[in-house]
């Protein structure tokens, strides 16, 4: 099937995209430490992929305590703002558009990555059955079990929301076209949504409405700092990732998506579970999402051109974010246009400078 629909323009809030082939956020772990700032490699990497309708950059932590992976970048310091400005200028010089993904990893972290070696933050002090990336004694990236977190105090949540607001201001000053809030894949905001990770008894735990409260408060704060037309959010409904299984959380998914719809933001980015070994979404769920969300939906998760064309044509989604194919094919939209064969990704190059020991681990979707 030809990529006719994928190659048509699309309005996402304040921006108009040249095509509907988005680059999904992909954690690459190539940034400076200490400092957590992108390097010249990031400038080249994103500039090469400026043909995407929209690049959503790698997950970028909003504060020092938000960090969960060695080598991941931040957006909380002036050094980082300046470094990201070089990236966004390079993308814009090639005619592209780029969004930043605002990330707090929560319990998917390790004490060696936290200020003063403290425990990571989470909704509740429940250890994740998952691993993260740290550096060994030789400075090489290695996988290690996550550390046991401590529960955020209710009084600390206001400061957490302020971190998101400040990161949004920094992103705007760094020249990004949009921001995407990371609310997916078992990271902090997704942890608040999950009854397996959130056993709080305050206003942020218990009922569906309480567990969704922080996500919506963060979304409102980011909108207030910029505006709804420059904001998107990523969710992973019914997903399985980072020690959480949400396959039975349809009530939460539809409630949250309905509340997000009221904000009329630029886009809703939905990461489907089958890319990471989870079940495929039933058609009934897709239709239920579209029924309550009339604004732009970006889908992601192991999509082919045929699947993208079919679901866009059916009106169930509006664009597709491609992840691993963009690693090996910087000119992915042009290849779709020509019907050209795609290069296959090489897992050994996914992280850092090609860290050993990652050949069986998929490129992290941000």
């Amino acid at each position: 099937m030809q990529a006719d629909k994928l190659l048509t323009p699309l309005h996402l809030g304040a921006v108009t995209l040249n095509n509907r082939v988005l680059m999904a956020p992909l954690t690459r772990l190539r940034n400076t430490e200490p400092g957590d700032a992108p390097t010249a490699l990031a400038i080249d990497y994103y500039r090469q992929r400026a043909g995407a309708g929209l690049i959503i950059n790698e997950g970028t932590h909003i504060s020092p305590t938000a960090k969960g992976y060695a080598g991941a970048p931040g957006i909380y310091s002036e050094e980082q703002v300046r470094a990201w400005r070089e990236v966004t200028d390079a993308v814009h010089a090639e005619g592209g558009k780029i969004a930043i993904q605002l990330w707090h990893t929560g319990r998917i972290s390790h004490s060696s990555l936290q200020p003063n070696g403290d425990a990571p933050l989470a909704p509740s002090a429940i250890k994740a059955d998952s691993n993260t990336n740290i550096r060994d004694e030789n400075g090489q990236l290695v996988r290690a079990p996550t550390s046991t977190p401590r529960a955020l105090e209710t009084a600390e949540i206001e400061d957490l929301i302020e971190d998101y607001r400040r990161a949004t201001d920094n992103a705007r000053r760094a020249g990004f076209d949009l921001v995407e809030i990371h609310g997916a894949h078992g990271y902090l905001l997704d942890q608040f949504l999950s009854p397996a990770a959130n056993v709080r008894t305050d206003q942020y735990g218990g009922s569906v409405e309480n567990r969704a409260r922080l996500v919506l408060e963060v979304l409102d704060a980011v909108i207030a700092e910029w505006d709804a037309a420059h904001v998107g959010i990523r969710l992973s409904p019914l997903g399985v990732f980072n020690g959480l299984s949400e396959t039975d959380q349809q009530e939460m998914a539809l409630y949250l998506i309905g509340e997000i719809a009221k904000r009329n933001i630029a886009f809703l980015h939905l990461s489907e579970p089958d890319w990471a070994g989870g079940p495929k979404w039933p058609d009934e769920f897709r239709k239920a999402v579209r029924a309550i969300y009339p604004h732009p939906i970006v889908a992601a998760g192991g999509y082919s051109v045929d699947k993208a064309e079919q679901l866009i044509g059916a009106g169930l989604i509006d664009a597709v974010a491609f992840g691993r194919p963009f690693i090996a094919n910087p000119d992915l939209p042009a290849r779709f246009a020509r019907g050209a064969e795609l290069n296959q990704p090489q897992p050994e190059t996914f992280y850092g400078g090609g860290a050993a020991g990652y050949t069986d681990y998929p490129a992290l979707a941000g």
Side-chain angles (χ1 to χ4, degrees), residues 147-214:
S147 297
T148 301
R150 73 167 180 85
L152 273 159
E153 300 290 340
T154 304
E156 293 178 293
I157 290 190
E158 184 176 344
D159 291 336
L160 173 67
I161 295 171
E162 173 63 14
D163 287 339
Y164 278 97
R165 186 209 63 76
R166 187 181 302 109
T168 302
D169 176 58
N170 288 344
R172 180 172 49 188
R173 293 191 297 113
F176 285 96
D177 297 289
L178 300 161
V179 298
E180 176 182 278
I181 298 166
H182 197 335
H185 298 152
Y187 297 114
L188 182 70
L189 296 182
D190 197 24
Q191 292 160 26
F192 269 86
L193 299 176
S194 172
N198 179 355
V199 295
R200 301 174 72 93
T201 57
D202 62 2
Q203 65 266 40
Y204 295 97
S207 67
V208 165
E209 293 81 4
N210 279 359
R211 286 183 280 119
R213 187 183 307 277
L214 179 60

Side-chain angles (χ1 to χ4, degrees), residues 227-244:
D227 59 42
H230 287 89
V231 177
I233 189 168
R234 195 178 214 208
L235 305 177
S236 51
L238 315 188
V240 179
F241 203 71
N242 270 327
L244 291 182

Side-chain angles (χ1 to χ4, degrees), residues 40-126:
L41 183 60
I43 298 172
D44 290 340
Y45 174 73
Y46 287 115
R47 176 168 48 202
Q48 290 168 350
R49 292 157 177 79
L54 176 70
I55 293 169
I56 306 173
N57 82 326
E58 60 205 287
T60 305
H61 45 275
I62 60 170
S63 68
T65 58
K67 184 175 181 177
Y69 293 81
I75 188 64
Y76 56 85
S77 74
E78 288 302 313
E79 176 194 6
Q80 294 160 358
V81 170
R82 289 191 298 270
W84 279 120
R85 186 78 206 206
E86 294 188 58
V87 173
T88 61
D89 284 349
V91 171
H92 294 151
E94 297 294 329
K97 293 183 172 63
I98 183 168
I100 188 171
Q101 189 185 63
L102 304 181
W103 195 22
H104 195 304
T105 61
R107 68 181 189 167
I108 307 302
S109 186
H110 190 273
S111 58
S112 68
L113 303 172
Q114 292 291 307
N116 306 312
D118 291 339
L121 303 176
S124 302
I126 301 172

Side-chain angles (χ1 to χ4, degrees), residues 177-339:
D177 297 289
L178 300 161
V179 298
E180 176 182 278
I181 298 166
H182 197 335
H185 298 152
Y187 297 114
L188 182 70
L189 296 182
D190 197 24
Q191 292 160 26
F192 269 86
L193 299 176
S194 172
N198 179 355
V199 295
R200 301 174 72 93
T201 57
D202 62 2
Q203 65 266 40
Y204 295 97
S207 67
V208 165
E209 293 81 4
N210 279 359
R211 286 183 280 119
R213 187 183 307 277
L214 179 60
V215 175
L216 296 173
E217 288 182 350
V218 166
L219 180 58
D220 288 341
V222 171
I223 291 170
E225 179 57 37
W226 202 336
D227 59 42
H230 287 89
V231 177
I233 189 168
R234 195 178 214 208
L235 305 177
S236 51
L238 315 188
V240 179
F241 203 71
N242 270 327
L244 291 182
S245 175
E246 300 169 1
T247 57
D248 61 347
Q249 293 299 305
Q250 183 166 319
E251 179 186 5
M252 169 60 82
L254 295 179
Y255 168 76
L256 182 58
I257 290 169
E259 289 299 305
I260 292 169
K262 297 174 184 178
R263 273 77 174 173
N264 195 23
I265 60 175
F267 65 95
L268 172 65
H269 186 179
L270 297 177
S271 178
E272 300 178 21
D274 47 328
W275 77 270
K280 292 184 178 180
W281 279 355
D283 288 343
E284 294 75 12
F285 182 70
R286 290 187 188 279
K287 292 174 182 177
V289 168
R290 179 49 95 188
I292 61 175
Y293 200 86
H295 313 302
I297 294 176
V298 177
Y303 268 72
S304 65
V305 169
D306 286 359
K307 181 178 178 180
E309 290 284 310
Q310 290 167 4
L311 290 177
I312 293 173
L316 294 173
I317 62 174
D318 300 283
V320 173
F322 294 88
R324 284 166 281 184
F326 251 121
I327 294 176
N329 301 274
D331 58 343
L332 188 64
R335 288 179 182 250
F336 285 168
R338 300 194 308 270

Side-chain angles (χ1 to χ4, degrees), residues 28 324 344-351 354-355 358-363:
R28 304 310 303 278
R324 284 166 281 184
Q344 294 305 305
Q346 299 177 13
E348 65 271 14
T349 69
F350 283 170
Y351 298 103
Y358 290 80
T359 56
D360 62 347
Y361 193 76

Side-chain angles (χ1 to χ4, degrees), residues 129-153:
D129 181 15
S130 189
N131 297 313
T132 190
N133 300 66
I134 64 172
R135 295 200 183 276
D136 65 15
E137 62 275 10
N138 299 314
Q140 297 299 307
L141 291 172
V142 295
R143 298 290 282 170
T146 57
S147 297
T148 301
R150 73 167 180 85
L152 273 159
E153 300 290 340

